[in-house]
Amino acid sequence: MSFSEIFLGILEGLDVTLTVTAFGLLFAIPFALVAGVAQQFLTGWKRAPVTAIIEFWRSTPILVLMFMFYYTLPVAGVYLNATTVAAMTLGLHIGAYGSQSVRAALQALDRGQVEAGLAIGLTRWQVLLTIELPQMAVAMLPTFVNQFIQLVKGTALVALITMTDMTARAKELSQLTFDPPAIYGALMLAYFLLLYPATVLGRHLERVVGRRSGRLNGGRAGDV
Amino acid sequence: MTFDIDFLQRILATIFKAMPLTLLLAFLSCIGASLVGFALETLRRTGRWQGYLLRFVIDALRSTPILVQIYFLYFVLPYYGVVLPGPVIGVLAMSLYYASYLAEVFKAGIDSVPRGQTEAAMAVGLSPLDVTLRVVAPQMLRNIAAPMGNYFVSILKSTPYLAVIGVAEMMGTTLEIASDTFRYAEPMILLGIVFLVLCSIIAWLVRRLEARLMANTRR
Amino acid sequence: MDQTAISINKLNKWYGDFHVLKDIDLQVATGEQVVICGPSGSGKSTLIRCVNRLEAYQDGHIEVMGQEETNLPRLRRQVGMVFQQFNLFPHLTVLRNCTLAMTRALRMDQAEAEETALRMLERVRIREQALKFPTQLSGGQQQRVAIARALCMSPKAMLFDEPTSALDPEMIKEVLDVMADLAQDGMTMICVTHEMGFARQVADRIVFMDAGQVVEVAPPDSFFANPQNLRTRTFLEQIL
Ligand SMILES: Nc1ncnc2c1ncn2[C@@H]1O[C@H](COP(=O)(O)OP(=O)(O)OP(=O)(O)O)[C@@H](O)[C@H]1O
Ligand SMILES: [Mg+2]
């Protein structure tokens, strides 16, 4: 097999990679917003369960989470297809990291903005939705791009729960032809082409928006 | 799922037996990633072309999944006659991958030390290496302790990937029990709890260290 | 006394298109004290930072003790520098601030370095603070430590960039006194300052710079009593 044949063979897994990414976003974005806002605004004991949920999704390795839900849900009588399990675990894992950025962004906002909003007669909710979140959106843009990259990279794990994404295609191809440099080189190239533009964009946005504080990005790493 | 205390104990025993190796791999990777990351960032600053080249290397490392990088090293190196044991490949892969993130942390850290510090250090005639190691590095450490700690936790959380290349860390050994017994639920839940506890402990240690560094700051 | 310590010849420097230093010529004899003054942005800092090559220059030559040293750490050990913002190392004690370069760059052993450092701290009258950290000291004390730190390298000349500008008024004198002592002891000095009392008392010559050029060079008496250039006069009227 020539390198381009191998590369095209790997791209056959692109649709799975993209599908899991798209569904993952559907979990990640709402979870990050809701959990981050809740953790910021709840006080006392009401806050503890939110923190616990965030910590569970954030501090457990994503591969463990994925296996855990993939194998445990059927035992509990819940049957979800692999795509859903993958999208959910990846999405909530990345979303938990995102929630910390949401919270940090809320904290970084100028207090005066809230007060001005309340002073013109808006409710606290209205202030959050019409004043704080829109302003945060800009500040969070770099973080969003970086989390998105983490999510896409995370989809490589679905190969381990029987789905045929690009990474799984590489394994299949190595059954057909013994050429590790070409196969894994092509796999690296595929992810690189997919994500390098986003990496450069994220860096650019970081420069433009300006790093509010080192801590804001403290939780950016993830483990994928 | 029936509650089977013997089975749970067996799983826990297996996990704990693999814990030292897991922690060791994570620890070595933390050191490797810090060294490589610091080198990347320091070299990146030495000139325009080094700057472009190393920026590209860093971004490329970040643009591919660590799992794929592990596979790459594991399958491609032997093809060229370089046969390394799984744990070594694992430490190598994690060091390289996380170096690309730590380089960024060091960048922020170096930038956080006022320019005058470097100038004063150069003005008393210190070599560039001493300027970096004796004056800049100690001062940036307290600024970067928290983000560095976060990445160290991430490194620990990445050790399960090494199971795919047959390293007997906690995930690998747990999977072994699971496939022997065809029961995955309990092992995975227990493994999750163990990681949760470990990561929380490390995160707590990092916060304490950071607090101590801050307290020592006389700025 | 006649040997030239620092010799600046036809020095030109640009920041991009901006011509900061224009054909600067200045010779400083061994043991001489030169004060540089001039309006903000005239290039004073840039000029003295070129001497120890914290700034690169595009054209011209600067010789220190008769040669143009290309090994920068070695050059910088010959020329001490004191900054406006002190720039002490906050993570090190006063003593270690002083010994760092001696042990690292000169490979002196610790005991010898400490002895030298304490002697220099004595000279700037702050020996008793040796074990404190910089931020536990007042601005004036910090600046004197910075002077001691530079002296520890036994420099052939010292550069001062507005050493008292960041200080509260009551601390200015203690720093100027130390500098006057140094001058008394025959240290070669180039000092950017607007302390005209100090200039009058200590300087052998005063250099007036404006817009990147050396406009006038004269001994203090004639500089203040009889400035030749219109720009010098305007400047002196403003600050005196
Ligand atoms: N890194 C730089 N890039 C571009 N321009 C610079 C840079 N550093 C200084 N300049 C410009 O060079 C000119 C001279 O600066 P310099 O700091 O030498 O002035 P100065 O005489 O020391 O003024 P001051 O009394 O304010 O300290 C100024 O106009 C300044 O804006
Ligand atoms: Mg200046």
Side-chain angles (χ1 to χ4, degrees):
Chain A
M1 270 202 233
S2 70
F3 184 80
S4 54
E5 280 171 322
I6 290 173
F7 186 68
L8 289 176
I10 279 171
L11 287 190
E12 281 170 30
L14 183 61
D15 58 336
V16 171
T17 299
L18 293 182
T19 308
V20 176
T21 302
F23 284 110
L25 283 176
L26 290 183
F27 284 94
I29 295 174
F31 181 61
L33 283 175
V34 171
V37 169
Q39 205 187 20
Q40 174 66 14
F41 288 106
L42 293 179
T43 49
W45 64 268
K46 287 189 206 145
R47 185 173 167 165
V50 179
T51 306
I53 292 172
I54 293 174
E55 277 312 306
F56 169 75
W57 285 104
R58 204 166 74 112
S59 294
T60 317
I62 173 64
L63 186 58
V64 178
L65 286 171
M66 203 178 274
F67 281 168
M68 195 192 291
F69 282 86
Y70 185 69
Y71 292 115
T72 310
L73 288 178
V75 177
V78 182
Y79 295 92
L80 298 176
N81 63 16
T83 310
T84 312
V85 172
M88 181 184 80
T89 47
L90 275 172
L92 296 182
H93 181 67
I94 301 290
Y97 275 103
S99 73
Q100 299 309 292
S101 311
V102 169
R103 194 162 70 108
L106 275 174
Q107 286 169 345
L109 269 189
D110 185 4
R111 255 315 286 159
Q113 291 294 309
V114 178
E115 285 169 3
L118 294 174
I120 57 170
L122 299 175
T123 66
R124 191 68 189 81
W125 264 111
Q126 288 168 329
V127 171
L128 179 68
L129 292 179
T130 63
I131 295 176
E132 289 176 279
L133 289 182
Q135 290 189 36
M136 274 168 49
V138 179
M140 290 212 38
L141 218 51
T143 317
F144 175 78
V145 173
N146 288 326
Q147 305 284 12
F148 172 79
I149 296 169
Q150 296 300 117
L151 178 62
V152 178
K153 287 193 289 186
T155 63
L157 299 182
V158 303
L160 302 176
I161 55 168
T162 71
M163 296 177 67
T164 316
D165 75 323
M166 297 200 294
T167 305
R169 282 294 299 152
K171 308 224 79 174
E172 288 179 0
L173 289 167
S174 32
Q175 310 288 318
L176 300 178
T177 175
F178 178 72
D179 191 357
I183 291 173
Y184 288 96
L187 181 60
M188 294 268 256
L189 181 65
Y191 280 107
F192 173 82
L193 292 177
L194 195 59
L195 290 178
Y196 184 70
T199 302
V200 173
L201 175 69
R203 185 181 296 293
H204 177 72
L205 287 174
E206 238 163 48
R207 230 190 348 253
V208 174
V209 174
R211 205 163 294 192
R212 304 226 148 187
S213 75
R215 225 154 287 231
L216 203 153
N217 288 320
R220 191 173 68 199
D223 52 342
V224 279
Chain B
M1 178 160 44
T2 52
F3 191 71
D4 178 350
I5 201 117
D6 282 345
F7 186 44
L8 295 187
Q9 271 175 358
R10 209 181 113 207
I11 302 165
L12 271 185
T14 315
I15 294 179
F16 282 122
K17 227 178 98 190
M19 193 181 281
L21 177 66
T22 309
L23 291 176
L24 178 68
L25 293 176
F27 178 71
L28 293 176
S29 304
C30 288
I31 293 177
S34 303
L35 292 178
V36 178
F38 194 66
L40 280 176
E41 178 55 25
T42 328
L43 290 178
R44 197 183 64 77
R45 289 168 181 262
T46 54
R48 188 136 157 230
W49 291 109
Q50 292 92 311
Y52 290 133
L53 179 71
L54 291 177
R55 160 71 60 238
F56 176 79
V57 170
I58 289 170
D59 283 347
L61 280 170
R62 292 169 155 222
S63 300
T64 45
I66 183 168
L67 180 70
V68 172
Q69 295 180 13
I70 292 170
Y71 278 139
F72 186 88
L73 292 179
Y74 185 69
F75 290 116
V76 175
L77 287 182
Y79 186 84
Y80 294 109
V82 184
V83 182
L84 299 172
V88 175
I89 300 250
V91 170
L92 202 61
M94 292 205 288
S95 297
L96 283 174
Y97 181 77
Y98 281 102
S100 71
Y101 286 94
L102 285 171
E104 205 75 2
V105 172
F106 290 128
K107 173 177 189 298
I110 292 173
D111 290 343
S112 76
V113 177
R115 177 91 192 116
Q117 289 293 313
T118 322
E119 289 183 350
M122 292 195 299
V124 288
L126 289 176
S127 69
L129 187 69
D130 277 335
V131 173
T132 307
L133 293 186
R134 308 255 155 196
V135 175
V136 177
Q139 292 189 61
M140 74 178 195
L141 211 56
R142 55 178 152 245
N143 295 328
I144 63 172
M148 259 180 104
N150 282 334
Y151 283 110
F152 288 172
V153 173
S154 293
I155 287 177
L156 177 63
K157 283 163 60 194
S158 291
T159 54
Y161 301 138
L162 304 187
V164 304
I165 56 169
V167 177
E169 44 61 69
M170 295 199 292
M171 171 63 93
T173 51
T174 309
L175 279 177
E176 238 168 68
I177 295 202
S179 60
D180 282 353
T181 56
F182 299 105
R183 288 165 72 173
Y184 282 84
E186 297 95 329
M188 282 305 135
I189 290 175
L190 281 183
L191 183 61
I193 293 173
V194 169
F195 264 109
L196 208 71
V197 171
L198 272 182
C199 293
S200 307
I201 292 175
I202 296 180
W204 176 78
L205 284 175
V206 169
R207 273 200 305 277
R208 265 194 44 168
L209 175 75
E210 195 202 359
R212 288 225 349 226
L213 286 173
M214 287 298 173
N216 282 342
T217 308
R218 297 162 205 265
R219 218 171 228 288
Chain C
M1 192 75 177
D2 283 323
Q3 202 209 334
T4 309
I6 296 172
S7 162
I8 303 172
N9 298 304
K10 289 256 165 298
L11 182 71
N12 280 283
K13 177 176 171 63
W14 288 264
Y15 284 120
D17 289 340
F18 178 53
H19 200 170
V20 239
L21 297 178
K22 302 170 188 161
D23 281 334
I24 306 279
D25 277 301
L26 183 65
Q27 325 296 323
V28 180
T30 304
E32 191 186 21
Q33 289 87 39
V34 171
V35 161
I36 303 181
C37 62
S40 181
S42 54
K44 310 178 295 290
S45 301
T46 309
L47 174 61
I48 66 167
R49 288 160 60 88
C50 281
V51 174
N52 71 348
R53 299 283 287 276
L54 284 178
E55 301 286 348
Y57 44 87
Q58 285 81 24
D59 193 22
H61 299 279
I62 300 181
E63 287 172 7
V64 175
M65 304 314 285
Q67 60 166 325
E68 201 164 13
E69 177 68 75
T70 51
N71 177 325
L72 297 189
R74 199 178 303 160
L75 164 69
R76 288 166 184 157
R77 278 170 235 154
Q78 292 188 25
V79 194
M81 181 160 209
V82 176
F83 300 85
Q84 183 174 346
Q85 297 298 336
F86 329 139
N87 292 340
L88 293 180
F89 307 129
H91 59 303
L92 304 176
T93 61
V94 163
L95 187 63
R96 188 69 184 124
N97 261 277
C98 294
T99 56
L100 180 67
M102 285 188 282
T103 55
R104 300 301 306 171
L106 300 182
R107 305 263 159 229
M108 237 184 242
D109 67 52
Q110 190 73 27
E112 192 187 345
E114 282 182 9
E115 196 191 303
T116 309
L118 287 171
R119 222 171 42 239
M120 294 307 156
L121 289 170
E122 180 87 63
R123 206 165 154 191
V124 302
R125 298 172 211 128
I126 199 159
R127 184 185 166 133
E128 67 285 356
Q129 312 282 7
L131 295 179
K132 288 199 176 161
F133 283 89
T135 44
Q136 295 171 297
L137 306 183
S138 73
Q141 292 173 318
Q142 289 192 46
Q143 194 60 299
R144 284 186 281 144
V145 172
I147 294 172
R149 175 175 72 181
L151 289 176
C152 281
M153 304 304 286
S154 319
K156 299 284 189 294
M158 290 275 286
L159 310 171
F160 293 82
D161 191 0
E162 305 201 29
T164 57
S165 298
L167 295 177
D168 293 336
E170 70 271 20
M171 296 169 185
I172 292 179
K173 187 170 179 306
E174 66 189 54
V175 172
L176 291 181
D177 285 349
V178 164
M179 291 167 60
D181 285 356
L182 269 184
Q184 197 77 51
D185 295 346
M187 174 63 77
T188 310
M189 291 163 61
I190 303 183
C191 183
V192 176
T193 184
H194 291 144
E195 294 294 332
M196 288 305 147
F198 172 81
R200 203 187 285 270
Q201 178 204 338
V202 169
D204 295 307
R205 284 184 299 159
I206 299 184
V207 174
F208 175 71
M209 283 182 71
D210 190 22
Q213 284 169 311
V214 171
V215 175
E216 187 160 348
V217 183
D221 291 346
S222 55
F223 183 82
F224 291 111
N226 189 17
Q228 298 298 305
N229 195 292
L230 185 60
R231 284 191 275 179
T232 317
R233 272 182 218 176
T234 324
F235 176 76
L236 285 176
E237 272 165 28
Q238 277 165 10
I239 66 161
L240 288 181

